Amino acid sequence: MDPVITHLEKAFDTSHPVAILLAGCMQTGGRWTGHKFIRDHFREAMSMPNVYVGLFGDEVENFKSGTFAGARSQMDQALPPDKQKMLWRLFMKQIGPRTLWGMWSQHGAIWDERDGHNIIKDTYKEHAIPYFDGMGYVKLTVGSETYHLAVSHEFPGNSMYNKTHPQKRALWQRFPNADAVIQADRHQYAVSEETAYGHEVLAGNRK
């Protein structure tokens, strides 16, 4: 039985800071992927204490015949999809023990569409890592502090004027208690910070 996971709770019993490396859209095996950068970045992170990883999908490029990718995209891959799968399994042996979650994404889901199961998801399950089939809600407790994270490979919504519109829409409509709303997919870094629901906090309805 494959349970549907919608939320996750993780507690760190420590008085020291905890860092979470948020990573998505690495697209291992792709022509334009900085493989050395990814390797060095994670190697450095794994050498530090109290550093963990939250993954946001598109771990591999995985362009196959009959998918949304054109022939040129398939031919230009640095590695064929079967070798990408092998590389990702080796990669997970290194970062798996410190990975907090994984999630659905378009590139990994190609296996769902073509083969009936997701090899990327299988890798997470092999390492006993929670895997969100869609949006997820993560409750992290570090010492006496608790943080609520809404996470997804992508949230609904688009705006040509605001790169974080999907996250704000998710805050308004789905995750009103989230301290942070995080997605990948767009391949463009963007962050915004604001005070939300201030009167609800003053009234004691929210923390």
Side-chain angles (χ1 to χ4, degrees):
M1 188 67 179
D2 183 16
V4 176
I5 299 175
T6 59
H7 62 280
L8 167 67
E9 294 188 16
K10 178 69 175 179
F12 298 94
D13 185 13
T14 178
S15 58
H16 299 287
V18 170
I20 300 177
L21 176 61
L22 308 173
C25 300
M26 291 176 284
Q27 294 173 256
T28 306
R31 178 186 180 191
W32 303 102
T33 301
H35 293 93
K36 184 178 183 299
F37 173 83
I38 293 172
R39 181 199 65 191
D40 295 345
H41 201 54
F42 276 97
R43 182 175 291 171
E44 182 179 8
M46 293 300 99
S47 71
M48 303 176 185
N50 294 329
V51 175
Y52 297 85
V53 181
L55 293 175
F56 284 76
D58 283 354
E59 297 87 350
V60 294
E61 188 80 315
N62 194 31
F63 284 149
K64 292 183 174 182
S65 175
T67 63
F68 57 81
R72 178 65 182 271
S73 296
Q74 298 171 41
M75 297 297 294
D76 278 352
Q77 293 177 104
L79 292 171
D82 60 334
K83 295 296 190 296
Q84 296 176 27
K85 177 183 67 175
M86 293 173 59
L87 182 60
W88 179 248
R89 286 188 182 277
L90 292 173
F91 192 59
M92 284 298 287
K93 287 183 178 180
Q94 302 296 318
I95 70 169
R98 294 211 210 166
T99 298
L100 302 179
W101 68 77
M103 64 184 61
W104 174 95
S105 60
Q106 294 94 337
H107 288 254
I110 293 173
W111 272 299
D112 282 329
E113 298 166 0
R114 296 297 299 255
D115 303 326
H117 72 280
N118 189 327
I119 296 172
I120 297 297
K121 181 177 181 178
D122 289 346
T123 307
Y124 283 103
K125 291 168 67 177
E126 290 168 6
H127 290 270
I129 299 169
Y131 182 93
F132 297 116
D133 287 301
M135 302 178 197
Y137 201 55
V138 180
K139 179 181 178 180
L140 295 176
T141 301
V142 182
S144 60
E145 295 292 330
T146 298
Y147 307 90
H148 298 87
L149 312 179
V151 298
S152 182
H153 179 68
E154 64 171 332
F155 290 105
N158 295 281
S159 171
M160 63 183 293
Y161 302 108
N162 182 1
K163 291 181 180 179
T164 60
H165 169 75
Q167 292 94 316
K168 290 186 176 182
R169 176 175 167 179
L171 175 68
W172 298 332
Q173 298 181 355
R174 294 177 180 268
F175 304 98
N177 286 315
D179 296 302
V181 184
I182 309 160
Q183 76 164 30
D185 188 61
R186 302 304 170 88
H187 297 196
Q188 295 184 19
Y189 175 80
V191 62
S192 62
E193 182 177 356
E194 63 182 66
T195 300
Y197 310 111
H199 288 284
E200 293 287 341
V201 174
L202 294 174
N205 297 330
R206 298 164 53 89
K207 292 182 179 181

